[in-house]
Amino acid sequence: MASAEAPTATEYIVHHLTHLSTAKQKVIVDFSVFNVDTIFFSVLMLVCTLLILRAAARRATADVPGKFQAFVEMIVEMVEEQSKSIVHGNRSFIAPLALTVFVWIVLMNAIDLIPVDLFPKLWQLIVVGLLGKPEWDYMRPLPTADLNGTLGMSLGVLLLMIYYGIKIKGFGGWVHELFAAPFGDKWFLYPFNFGLNLIEYLAKMVSLGMRLFGNMYAGELLFFLIALLGGFAALSGTGILMAIGHVIAGTAWWLFHILIVILQAFIFMMLTMVYIGQAHEGH
């Protein structure tokens, strides 16, 4: 931490908002370096997602399904119904993609439901206590609260939009649409059409990543503030009311945050299908 004594509220929050990165530590966002913790937990949750879906596929049976199979089938049917209403055409790749994105983001978001000091304290014990590397004493485990991570996912969606646009319309048709839509196939309108289409692509990518980042970052920060409330209660001789408030606020926000975890994953999945569905259609 910032000092050998108990950290101040500002030091506590700044420490928790600092990533374990490959360069000098900076707070919240740094596009010039790799945030190791974001990459590690993103990949870890992706592996867990693939293992969960693989286990569900292997255990699938035509007999009466168990609880695990019934739960996974419910999610699969939900994604399938949504993809039918949004994407017209071949959905053999899009529906599994949407399912993977939904489960992956749910698992990444769910890291925020773990006590905020658990992973940083464990990492501090390993790095400082065993390895003697105080400069590595940073760990921010929530990947979706890192703008680098969410924009990376939205960049992947952008590339899929371009891929499907070229696949469905052909490269010539896709380029023609960039210059001919939405105002018409007139040469003097080409710059305006191209500019609007370029802005539309970029706006979709940025808004998709920013929406997920903003909601999860705000939720993470609120957990830090609630944790500080408990810390002040522990340090106060008459902090019984603060302690009670800490428990009530923490429990209430934790329960409400479960909805946010699922809702943000659902929104990201739906917008991914909408954007890819739009790539299947022409103006």
Side-chain angles (χ1 to χ4, degrees):
M1 300 292 287
S3 64
E5 301 177 353
T8 65
T10 300
E11 290 172 337
Y12 175 84
I13 292 178
V14 168
H15 183 273
H16 278 67
L17 290 179
T18 305
H19 289 281
L20 176 66
S21 65
T22 55
K24 183 179 179 180
Q25 305 298 332
K26 296 183 180 181
V27 178
I28 304 178
V29 177
D30 186 354
F31 291 100
S32 64
V33 299
F34 293 105
N35 291 333
V36 179
D37 42 17
T38 297
I39 296 173
F40 173 79
F41 284 100
S42 297
V43 174
L44 178 62
M45 292 301 101
L46 179 59
V47 171
C48 291
T49 298
L50 299 178
L51 291 176
I52 291 172
L53 296 179
R54 183 174 182 269
R58 288 171 62 90
R59 297 182 185 180
T61 175
D63 299 329
V64 178
K67 294 181 180 179
F68 176 66
Q69 181 179 339
F71 178 71
V72 174
E73 285 181 355
M74 180 179 66
I75 298 176
V76 171
E77 290 176 3
M78 179 270 293
V79 174
E80 181 67 17
E81 288 299 320
Q82 296 297 333
S83 65
K84 284 181 181 179
S85 63
I86 294 174
V87 181
H88 306 290
N90 185 5
R91 293 176 288 103
S92 59
F93 174 75
I94 296 174
L97 168 68
L99 175 64
T100 304
V101 166
F102 176 73
V103 178
W104 184 26
I105 296 180
V106 166
L107 292 181
M108 286 193 293
N109 289 350
I111 295 176
D112 207 21
L113 301 176
I114 299 172
V116 294
D117 286 315
L118 179 60
F119 284 122
K121 285 296 183 182
L122 291 175
W123 182 249
Q124 187 179 29
L125 289 175
I126 295 173
V127 171
V128 180
L130 298 180
L131 301 180
K133 296 286 186 179
E135 67 274 13
W136 292 355
D137 182 25
Y138 296 94
M139 174 56 63
R140 193 177 177 192
L142 184 60
T144 47
D146 181 7
L147 188 57
N148 297 279
T150 58
L151 283 182
M153 290 186 289
S154 62
L155 177 60
V157 175
L158 173 65
L159 295 177
L160 286 174
M161 290 164 54
I162 296 174
Y163 167 76
Y164 274 101
I166 296 174
K167 180 180 179 181
I168 300 299
K169 304 160 190 172
F171 182 75
W174 178 73
V175 172
H176 179 264
E177 189 174 82
L178 281 179
F179 289 91
F183 294 129
D185 190 5
K186 303 292 184 181
W187 66 267
F188 55 86
L189 294 176
Y190 285 173
F192 302 101
N193 290 331
F194 178 74
L196 285 176
N197 283 305
L198 183 62
I199 292 173
E200 180 182 0
Y201 274 116
L202 293 177
K204 287 177 178 178
M205 184 196 77
V206 173
S207 63
L208 188 62
M210 287 291 293
R211 182 182 294 104
L212 179 59
F213 160 75
N215 282 276
M216 298 311 300
Y217 176 76
E220 180 190 42
L221 190 59
L222 192 53
F223 274 124
F224 294 156
L225 296 176
I226 293 173
L228 283 173
L229 179 63
F232 285 129
L235 294 175
S236 174
T238 58
I240 183 64
L241 293 180
M242 293 181 65
I244 295 174
H246 167 73
V247 173
I248 294 175
T251 303
W253 181 244
W254 189 89
L255 293 173
F256 180 73
H257 204 62
I258 295 175
L259 175 62
I260 297 177
V261 163
I262 299 173
L263 181 61
Q264 290 305 313
F266 180 77
I267 292 174
F268 196 100
M269 177 200 72
M270 289 294 295
L271 290 177
T272 297
M273 288 194 293
V274 167
Y275 293 158
I276 296 178
Q278 290 175 346
H280 281 68
E281 301 171 355
H283 288 277

